[in-house]
Amino acid sequence: MSSSIKSFKPLFDRVLVQRLRNSDIKTGGGIYIPDKLANKTHEAIVIEVGTGRRTVNGFAPPLLKKGDRILLNESPLGEKITVNGIECEILSENEVLGFMGN
């Protein structure tokens, strides 16, 4: 992860993520799953998180944190951006299907 990405800070309940390539998906036995056979969810790494969701009393803290491995839908829901040559996405925290922690 580049230090230039670390300097980007999403707002509110948004998270900056970097998707892992499908070819990185393998079974517990070490067999790589081809793209066409992989399920339609994708893994990503949380690079940076915002301050949290706005509430009547201020902010609710984000559930995700830097370094969390998360699952996303195949189709991009957020905005694709390039930060110093590295492809990332900005998503709302509620677009994340689940997370595995660090």
Side-chain angles (χ1 to χ4, degrees):
M1 173 176 22
S2 171
S3 62
S4 59
I5 291 180
K6 290 181 186 178
S7 65
F8 183 90
K9 183 74 172 171
L11 297 175
F12 308 115
D13 70 335
R14 293 182 182 88
V15 294
L16 179 68
V17 302
Q18 184 176 17
R19 286 192 189 240
L20 300 176
R21 295 178 11 181
N22 271 353
S23 60
D24 292 338
I25 298 173
K26 64 180 177 177
T27 66
I31 299 171
Y32 284 95
I33 301 171
D35 288 347
K36 65 182 179 181
L37 297 178
N39 72 18
K40 301 302 179 190
T41 56
H42 292 265
E43 228 178 300
I45 300 289
V46 175
I47 305 297
E48 189 64 67
V49 295
T51 54
R53 184 176 37 87
R54 285 184 180 184
T55 67
V56 175
N57 299 324
F59 288 95
L63 296 173
L64 299 172
K65 61 185 179 298
K66 295 179 198 179
D68 282 346
R69 293 175 74 97
I70 59 174
L71 292 177
L72 304 169
N73 281 321
E74 177 181 27
S75 59
L77 301 170
E79 292 293 319
K80 288 188 174 194
I81 65 168
T82 302
V83 180
N84 290 349
I86 299 172
E87 291 183 20
C88 299
E89 291 179 51
I90 301 173
L91 305 168
S92 190
E93 196 175 56
N94 66 354
E95 295 172 324
V96 174
L97 300 175
F99 71 100
M100 296 170 260
N102 333 3

